[in-house]
Every structure is written in structure tokens, then in C-alpha cells.
Amino acid sequence: MNNREEILGKLRDAVVNMEEDAARTAAMEAIESGISADDALLEGLVQGMKVVGDLYERQEYFIPEVLICSDAMVAGLEILQPHLPADANRVTEKVVIGVVQGDTHDIGKNLVKIMLETSGFDVFDLGRDVPLPDFIDKAQEIGARIIGMSTLMTTTMDGMKAVIDELKIRGIRDEFIVLVGGGPISQSFANEIGADLYASDATSAARKLKTLVEERACA
Ligand code: B1M
């Protein structure tokens, strides 16, 4: 195994084994050995969290273990974050982001927020279990043209549709770009509810959103 694979493996293992100190050490090792911070995040820490998800689904890990794993991911992330490459062609757009009402899963949303900020977006984070009208009210209050919604549960997916329907009822649908994502969300669901964009992961969320904003600016 080469040095890069070994360090990425250490990042994954630190998350799976619930070791905050090991996650910090491996994150520092990644930076020192020239692995980019986004590779260390996405190929290391996030892959570890995916393994944790599988263990949870197989009932080998339970809620306390998952939360401690997530703390280890955040510990590594805190080391990597200052090293995430700032996008040279920064966009200056405000985004309101949150996890829809009824859902408290926020690990993925937090990663999306970080990648959007790295791309230059000015992100206002509503947090998790967000009352649906708040997405629109906050966007109007701060003058954001982009609303990002995340959910991990099938039971809360329809909240995204409710927000888009409310934009239509208020007659302001065309004023906003709506980005959706999260475990049970797909491109076909995004099409069905009339969202502008779907992204399967944090990196593509930032990339796709930036492309759309630039296209609309040129239109
Ligand atoms: Co729970 N949980 N959980 N959970 N949890 C799931 C989602 C579940 C699929 C597990 C299962 O049973 N198979 C299941 C949902 C089933 C369903 O759909 N109906 C589930 C359940 C049922 C629950 C509870 C109800 C359990 C209970 O109490 N009985 C409860 C929820 C309570 C509530 O919210 N009302 C619950 C609680 C928890 C914990 C607290 C233990 C913890 C959350 C901690 C936290 O987030 N602060 C937790 C976790 C960690 C999971 C799993 C294991 C992992 C989720 C995760 O963080 N993944 C999950 C099973 C799984 O996914 N395999 C599960 C890592 C993360 C990096 O990925 O969030 O997918 P993800 O984000 C990705 C992409 O999806 C995308 O980019 C991210 C990064 O690349 N993305 C976006 C996400 N949001 C986006 C937004 C975008 C664009 C892209 O644009 C705006």
C-alpha cells in the first residue's frame, strides 16, 4: 500500500473506530504529505462515515457509537477545513441551507455547507429540523436567491415539495434556485417536485450550483 492509501485508510479507520485523536493525527499527516484537504475529507473521513452507516444498518453499531464516530469525523474535519482550497473564481451569492422539518441528520448538510463556502458562497445555516416556512422567510430576509434543503429520511422528503409549492403560492418561485440532496433524494425525485438542482454529494453540490449560477448570470 502506498503512503497516500495508508493515510486515507487511517482517516477512515479513525472514524469507524471512534478515535478523535487518531482522526486529528491522520488529518495532519494527510496535509503534511501533500494529500489535498478535499481528498482527505471525501476519500478518508466521509468514506469512514459511510462504513459507519453500513454498520448502523446491520445493527452492529447503535446511536451512541454513530454519534462518537461523527465526533471523530468532525475532529479530523476541523484540521482539514483551513486547508480546503478556496475557489479562485469565487461566486458572490447567498445561500440559505438546512435540514427539513422532522429530520435531525445534519452530518451531510454540514459537509455541503463547507464545500459551498469553499466555492465562495455566503452560506446562512438554518440548522436541522427546520420549520418549512423558515427556508423562504430567511432567504427573503437576507436577500438570498438560493435555497438548499437536505434530508436523510423518506418520511421527511415531502417537506421539500411543500417548500417549493409555497414558493409557487407566494408567486416567487422564479426568484429562487432550489437545491436538494440527501440519502433518499434522487434526480427523479428532484424533477418530480420541481427543484432546480439535485446533487448526490457535497462536492457536486458546490460544482453544479456554481455552474447554474454562472449560466443564469450570463442568460
Ligand atoms: Co439515522 N437514519 N436516525 N441517525 N442515520 C438513517 C438516515 C437511516 C437510513 C438508517 C436506517 O435505518 N437504515 C434511517 C432513515 C430511514 C428512512 O428513510 N425512513 C434513520 C433513522 C430511522 C433514524 C432515527 C429515526 C432512528 C431512531 O431514533 N429510531 C433517528 C432520526 C430522528 C429524527 O431525525 N427525527 C436517527 C438518528 C440518527 C443519529 C442521531 C444516531 C445519527 C445522526 C447524527 C447527525 O446527523 N447529527 C444518525 C445517522 C448518522 C444515520 C446514518 C447511519 C448515517 C447518516 C450520515 O451521516 N451519513 C444513516 C444510514 C445511512 O445513511 N447509511 C441513518 C454520512 C453523510 C456524510 O452522508 O448524510 O448521505 P449523507 O450526506 C451526503 C449526501 O447525501 C449529500 O452530500 C453529503 C456528503 O457527500 N447530501 C446533500 C446531503 N445533504 C445534501 C444537501 C444538498 C446536496 C447534497 O443540497 C442542499
Side-chain angles (χ1 to χ4, degrees):
M1 201 188 318
N2 64 29
N3 195 35
R4 175 187 164 87
E5 284 311 311
E6 195 180 319
I7 294 170
L8 293 174
K10 282 186 192 175
L11 285 163
R12 284 192 290 270
D13 291 348
V15 173
V16 176
N17 297 331
M18 304 171 237
E19 294 170 339
E20 285 189 36
D21 285 345
R24 285 191 197 95
T25 307
M28 282 187 261
E29 226 181 303
I31 298 301
E32 281 160 14
S33 67
I35 298 174
S36 73
D38 40 0
D39 282 356
L41 172 60
L42 297 169
E43 293 175 33
L45 297 172
V46 170
Q47 294 307 318
M49 209 54 218
K50 285 195 176 146
V51 175
V52 174
D54 293 341
L55 290 168
Y56 179 74
E57 287 180 6
R58 295 206 303 266
Q59 299 193 338
E60 289 178 40
Y61 275 13
F62 297 93
I63 289 177
E65 285 88 356
V66 170
L67 290 177
I68 304 170
C69 292
S70 139
D71 287 346
M73 189 189 83
V74 171
L77 181 56
E78 282 169 0
I79 303 290
L80 298 177
Q81 196 168 1
H83 301 278
L84 284 168
D87 196 320
N89 305 310
R90 294 168 76 81
V91 278
T92 45
E93 277 283 349
K94 289 181 185 165
V95 181
V96 165
I97 195 168
V99 179
V100 298
Q101 190 164 9
D103 189 353
T104 57
H105 295 91
D106 64 354
I107 297 170
K109 180 269 293 170
N110 291 339
L111 290 174
V112 174
K113 177 187 170 190
I114 288 169
M115 296 317 280
L116 291 179
E117 286 176 341
T118 305
S119 291
F121 289 97
D122 183 4
V123 184
F124 186 95
D125 186 1
L126 290 166
R128 55 193 183 177
D129 190 15
V130 176
L132 301 177
D134 288 11
F135 284 96
I136 304 174
D137 295 343
K138 183 50 76 175
Q140 288 190 308
E141 182 193 321
I142 67 168
R145 284 199 309 141
I146 302 163
I147 294 175
M149 291 183 280
S150 170
T151 194
L152 268 276
M153 299 200 300
T154 49
T155 46
T156 46
M157 290 163 73
D158 286 341
M160 295 176 166
K161 180 175 185 315
V163 171
I164 293 173
D165 289 347
E166 179 63 21
L167 286 171
K168 290 179 188 160
I169 290 166
R170 295 192 197 183
I172 50 174
R173 175 67 188 90
D174 292 345
E175 292 173 24
F176 293 90
I177 292 174
V178 178
L179 165 69
V180 293
I185 309 304
S186 61
Q187 183 64 59
S188 63
F189 178 75
N191 295 345
E192 193 184 308
I193 64 172
D196 299 286
L197 272 185
Y198 158 73
S200 61
D201 60 74
T203 314
S204 67
R207 194 185 60 243
K208 285 180 164 185
L209 188 58
K210 195 166 170 236
T211 304
L212 184 62
V213 165
E214 285 167 355
E215 279 169 9
R216 295 218 176 162
C218 295

